[in-house]
Amino acid sequence: MAKVTQRTPIHDSLALVIAPDLCLPRLSAKTAEEVIRALARRLAEKGHVRPTFEQAALSREKRSPTGLPFPGVAVALPHAEPEHVATPAIAAATLVAPVVFRQMGSPAIKLSVSVVVMPAFSAKEQAGAGLSELIDRLQDEALRARLVSASTAEEIADLLRST
Amino acid sequence: MKKILVACGTAIATSTVVAKKLQEALEKRGLAVKIDQCKASEVAAKVKGYDLVVSTTEVGDTGGKPLVRTVSFLTGIGVDADVQKIAKLLGG
């Protein structure tokens, strides 16, 4: 159990960990599992996560779903434990058609998710700071609207790391 | 000082975000609290000594302590209502 400490400057800001080659624009997928596998595989191909990450993220999603009901655009943040991560990164996908994710905290609720962001962090402090930044971006309604219609990898990366 | 236990699925990232936003919101109301984080599955074992549990996910036994289950600190929707509820539960 970690104590909550004051916010410390973290040099690994999102700008450094979201690269266009980790973004999948207009991904065609039928299920949440397909999206999770596609993002995890891309992270693995680029050497950011271990091969175990994919299965760990799938299991975690079943146990503790990550769909978030942002107004207008539901977003899911599937992830796995830090031991499956080699070097920190964030992968993201926009979908041709929404897939069903269950809502975080309320698994009975099904959300039609059209943006999926997969954080892969290797340390708790960095995860907290990185996810905080990401959540702040995602709470911006205008940014969500642009994100959902993003059609290139560069666009997705730019939106998620824009300040 | 009141103590809050914040729980999420893996106790890695989500609970950190919730803890930070909750602390800031309560400080704005003049409420200083101590917040610790754990996995949802650890709540039953760790809840002793805490006044309240805030979780983004389902938790089982909270040892009789009040539980606020919410994702408002992540989506930004309904934060004020949750902060009010939490402050009230803490007797603030």
Side-chain angles (χ1 to χ4, degrees), chain B residues 75-89:
Chain B
T75 61
I77 306 303
V79 173
D80 289 349
D82 277 334
V83 171
Q84 223 162 24
K85 186 169 157 189
I86 290 165
K88 202 174 163 192
L89 284 167

Side-chain angles (χ1 to χ4, degrees), chain B residues 9-31:
Chain B
T10 42
I12 300 159
T14 317
S15 57
T16 309
V17 177
V18 172
K20 180 173 144 282
K21 292 196 182 286
L22 178 59
Q23 186 135 40
E24 286 169 3
L26 290 173
E27 271 169 14
K28 268 192 206 155
R29 298 175 69 102
L31 266 173

